[in-house]
Amino acid sequence: MEQRRSRVGRVLVALRLAAVSAVIGAALAALVVGVIRKDVPVLATGGGVLALLVLLAFLGGRRGAGGDAPPARRTALARIEDLRATGGETADVPVTFRLTVAPEPEDERPAYRVKISQSINLVDIPAYRPRGIAVVEYHPEKPWDVRIVTRPTPEWSRRAEEAEIDSAPESTLVRDPDGGAGAWCLLVLVGLLAGAALVVLSFRGELFASGDAGESAAKESSSSSASRTFSTSTTVSGPSSSLLTFGRMRVTAMELEARVDSAYVTSLRIEDHRMAVRGDSARPLAETVHLPSLPYELLPGLVREARATLGVREAESWRIDVTPGGVAGAGPRVRVTVSGTEGTAHLDADVTGRITDRRAVGVS
């Protein structure tokens, strides 16, 4: 019901905007026609209508300035459906989230989907992963205005850890009605042209001595992508070429993600100066690794742990392999392998950086 009222409201706003635009276009055309034909009544009519519109806009602006203050933001829980980092040059990374927001019962609003973009600190990104629960704030009258609370209160943090939220249908996705600026501009342009054309056609006998105006048309092209496999790698260089440098892993992974045009891969390999990914778009998401949500900031610590505790005193090389979890919902598996003169050893960890297994040198 609320979505229906919102659609009706948007239609009424569009009709009002089109009507006002048509009147403005007609008034402007009347001014031009009055000047060309030296017709004082037409010229006065166009000028009078424009003056009236300016006066009404001024009075409406003053009345709107004295309106009530906007409602306070409210806190709720949201399920993270998907997220994608869109940069990584600074400590705060722009991330695009798809959320299912579950308002509190007193709001009397069902859960709905929303797409937002917010900058998240590099260190905090591993805390946000698909199917996880986050604390958010939103405007009750502007449900598309949602922000993730990066430092929630202890009470809300506890609720987020204990909550389970089902995904809302894709049909509940809400958007900012003012976000489609291009559509509104097009509507205004059409209204202006329609009003002007109406006046000009009324005097076409005197005004159509010159050539006709030309038209331009735009075409849309659609393409379908078939199932594909992909693999790519990159070698880093420069003063801080080691991928153990803070932030370097995430930046490199985002570069590979942009290169393959997919955030989901079937394997990720990281070495001191090289990173490689492989993927298959036909794989279910549960059998893939989501690149933006990996804890890159924790991986150098796992490498140091493997070098120090697995019996390889002079580790000549190290490697990190990230693969999908074997059990649904278990998260990706991280294996750190170190090699040296004593042999090769490895340790396994989960997506939170918790070590789950060690295979030291000399241990069968």
Side-chain angles (χ1 to χ4, degrees), residues 75-79 100-105 109-112 136 138 165:
T75 306
L77 298 178
R79 172 189 170 100
T100 290
V101 180
E104 292 296 284
R109 181 187 182 96
Y112 63 92
V136 300
Y138 73 103
I165 300 175

Side-chain angles (χ1 to χ4, degrees), residues 79-103:
R79 172 189 170 100
I80 301 175
E81 303 293 348
D82 191 16
L83 69 157
R84 177 189 293 269
T86 57
E89 297 298 329
T90 62
D92 291 330
V93 179
V95 181
T96 299
F97 291 88
R98 280 187 171 270
L99 306 172
T100 290
V101 180

Side-chain angles (χ1 to χ4, degrees), residues 183-240:
W184 294 114
C185 291
L186 179 61
L187 182 62
V188 170
L189 178 61
V190 171
L192 289 171
L193 293 177
L198 181 62
V199 173
V200 171
L201 289 176
S202 300
F203 300 92
R204 59 185 179 276
E206 295 84 2
L207 300 174
F208 281 178
S210 59
D212 297 333
E215 298 180 352
S216 63
K219 297 182 180 179
E220 294 185 357
S221 61
S222 60
S223 60
S224 59
S225 57
S227 173
R228 64 187 181 95
T229 58
F230 54 84
S231 64
T232 187
S233 64
T234 185
T235 300
V236 298
S237 59
S240 58

